Amino acid sequence: AQLPRYAHLSMILGDDGQKLSKRHGAVSVMQYDDEGYLPEAVLNYLARLGWSHGDDEIFSMPQFCEWFDLDHITPSAAQFNTEKLNWLNAHYLKRTETARLADLVQPRLQARGVTVTAAPSLAAIIDLYKERAANLNELADLAEVFYIELHPKAELLAKHLTPETLPALADFIDHLPAVAWEAAAIGALIKASVARHGLKMPKLAMPLRVLLTGLEQTPSVDAVVALFPREMVLKRLAWPAKT
């Protein structure tokens, strides 16, 4: 029989530089799904591990099949770089259709016991937040706060809900029932409220972020407010009145 052609890929080392093996660092392929990686990101990363095509880092499976040859397999050991995989996965997340991401995130929320309701729209949440996440689990973390009973940390409330900011917050709440429920109109209301009290935008934006999401960092606060149903916003912003 004709002898088969065969070749070895480079040895793969773990993040710590040690040989990757079942006893040291290697994981089941399903763990990458559990950790929120997209299949195309994992395939892209593995294809680039021990093989190169010039300086190209990102490519589709058809491109890889077209470009691959044995001449460009790296003879030296290749090191697995989790940070690089995270970067690549974030790249694919940003470019993946929102509807597909919603279909992938919803089961992760349900596994946590989180019920995803029609409003706020999970797809709308993901569309706003997918630029900020490195994997599906991070997207689920960001989406979860829209569906659970939220209890912001006391230190964040003390930091941002101060005697200086509470009048502007009360002003915003008073005008909220009549505002058009869209980001532009909500943004205009925020600006008007801080202007009436001689404050800068962050003085109201930060309390709104903390009361609505429990976080200090979010996308544009007017867009975040608009994601919620009006009645849910009014309920979460009622916190100062209860204290």
Side-chain angles (χ1 to χ4, degrees):
Q2 183 177 352
L3 291 174
R5 294 182 64 202
Y6 70 95
H8 286 288
L9 286 171
S10 309
M11 179 185 293
I12 300 176
L13 307 179
D15 284 299
D16 59 0
Q18 300 298 310
K19 180 181 177 182
L20 203 60
S21 68
K22 291 180 180 179
R23 294 185 179 182
H24 181 86
V27 299
S28 161
V29 69
M30 295 311 297
Q31 185 169 329
Y32 293 105
D33 177 69
D34 294 341
E35 293 178 359
Y37 292 101
L38 292 170
E40 54 267 41
V42 175
L43 288 170
N44 191 154
Y45 182 75
L46 292 178
R48 189 65 177 77
L49 197 62
W51 172 84
S52 65
H53 185 268
D55 294 328
D56 293 293
E57 296 284 354
I58 298 167
F59 42 80
S60 65
M61 183 55 64
Q63 285 176 313
F64 173 60
C65 293
E66 179 184 347
W67 291 343
F68 181 79
D69 59 40
L70 298 178
D71 294 334
H72 291 87
I73 293 177
T74 308
S76 56
Q79 186 162 359
F80 196 96
N81 186 325
T82 302
E83 184 177 335
K84 183 69 169 291
L85 175 58
N86 289 338
W87 170 83
L88 197 60
N89 199 62
H91 168 85
Y92 278 98
L93 275 181
K94 292 179 179 67
R95 286 155 179 78
T96 298
E97 290 184 0
T98 297
R100 179 187 169 208
L101 292 178
D103 288 341
L104 293 171
V105 168
Q106 184 162 344
R108 295 170 190 272
L109 292 171
Q110 291 172 336
R112 304 176 183 188
V114 176
T115 300
V116 177
T117 54
S121 162
L122 179 58
I125 295 167
I126 288 173
D127 199 46
L128 186 62
Y129 276 89
K130 68 181 183 179
E131 295 281 337
R132 293 172 169 259
N135 59 61
L136 295 170
N137 290 343
E138 288 184 11
L139 263 182
D141 292 340
L142 293 167
E144 180 178 326
V145 301
F146 289 83
Y147 300 106
I148 62 174
E149 188 72 28
L150 189 69
H151 301 285
K153 293 181 179 179
E155 56 267 30
L156 290 180
L157 295 172
K159 179 180 177 181
H160 295 293
L161 274 77
T162 64
E164 180 186 22
T165 62
L166 286 178
L169 179 60
D171 183 292
F172 176 77
I173 293 170
D174 287 343
H175 290 85
L176 204 55
V179 72
W181 207 249
E182 58 186 24
I186 293 168
L189 176 57
I190 294 172
K191 291 177 182 177
S193 296
V194 295
R196 282 191 285 268
H197 294 272
L199 300 176
K200 293 185 177 180
M201 185 81 162
K203 290 293 185 179
L204 180 53
M206 293 305 291
L208 289 175
R209 286 187 171 99
V210 170
L211 288 170
L212 292 175
T213 70
L215 303 171
E216 291 182 292
Q217 300 295 324
T218 72
S220 176
V221 68
D222 51 4
V224 172
V225 175
L227 285 176
F228 289 94
R230 191 191 307 262
E231 60 274 14
M232 187 180 292
V233 172
L234 290 168
K235 180 181 178 181
R236 291 195 177 189
L237 295 187
W239 179 89
K242 297 176 183 177
T243 60

